[in-house]
Amino acid sequence: MRAPRTYLDPHMLEHARHLEALTASVRELLPPQLRPHCWVGNLREGELVLVTDGGSWAYPLRYMRREILKQVRDHHGVTARTVRIRVQPAMRALDSGQGTPLPPLSPRARESLQHAARAVADPELRRSLRRLADR
């Protein structure tokens, strides 16, 4: 059996890590009450896409666009020219445990995830697979 990591595109993993680092950097700039409601969704063709889980959080993000662009330019060398805000309520269920609960895993799925976690060399991916198996 091949290690699960061999099925994942290394460029995609690197892009995901970069977006995660950008999210952490952007969240440092945001007020504490807004931080858990904002993610960097993408960075492509000079556009930084911020995703929020509610329309009320989009409003302050719009006013902070210049500061956010400056933060990602200064700390990450990103050459984004614009910031687009997307409201995606489903993100709340993924990050904070609110929203529609996920169905329970079957014993076979749980066992497969645990096996995959043992076979992965990347510690972050291993932790994520274990968390998913334990839910």
Side-chain angles (χ1 to χ4, degrees):
M1 181 172 152
R2 290 173 51 189
R5 186 176 182 86
T6 62
Y7 294 106
L8 301 173
D9 179 8
H11 293 73
M12 187 180 287
L13 284 172
E14 186 58 35
H15 185 68
R17 285 187 185 110
H18 184 62
L19 294 180
E20 188 174 4
L22 287 172
T23 296
S25 183
V26 167
R27 283 181 172 177
E28 287 175 9
L29 185 66
L30 301 176
Q33 69 274 20
L34 180 54
R35 290 176 187 161
H37 301 281
C38 180
W39 301 264
V40 174
N42 206 352
L43 173 64
R44 186 176 27 188
E45 299 171 4
E47 180 179 66
L48 180 70
V49 178
L50 295 179
V51 180
T52 183
D53 59 7
S56 61
W57 301 114
Y59 186 73
L61 286 173
R62 284 188 180 93
Y63 281 100
M64 297 184 73
R65 282 189 252 202
R66 284 188 185 152
E67 292 87 4
I68 291 168
L69 280 175
K70 184 176 179 349
Q71 176 91 351
V72 297
R73 281 183 197 141
D74 294 349
H75 293 121
H76 298 278
V78 171
T79 57
R81 295 178 309 275
T82 61
V83 174
R84 182 167 51 111
I85 313 292
R86 281 186 38 212
V87 177
Q88 191 168 343
M91 292 299 289
R92 180 178 298 140
L94 297 175
D95 194 50
S96 65
Q98 299 173 355
T100 307
L102 297 172
L105 289 175
S106 70
R108 184 174 179 179
R110 179 172 280 117
E111 181 182 324
S112 295
L113 285 168
Q114 289 169 344
H115 179 73
R118 286 189 297 271
V120 167
D122 185 331
E124 290 178 53
L125 183 55
R126 185 181 315 117
R127 278 193 304 272
S128 295
L129 288 169
R130 285 183 178 150
R131 274 196 319 264
L132 185 57
D134 291 341
R135 73 164 178 85

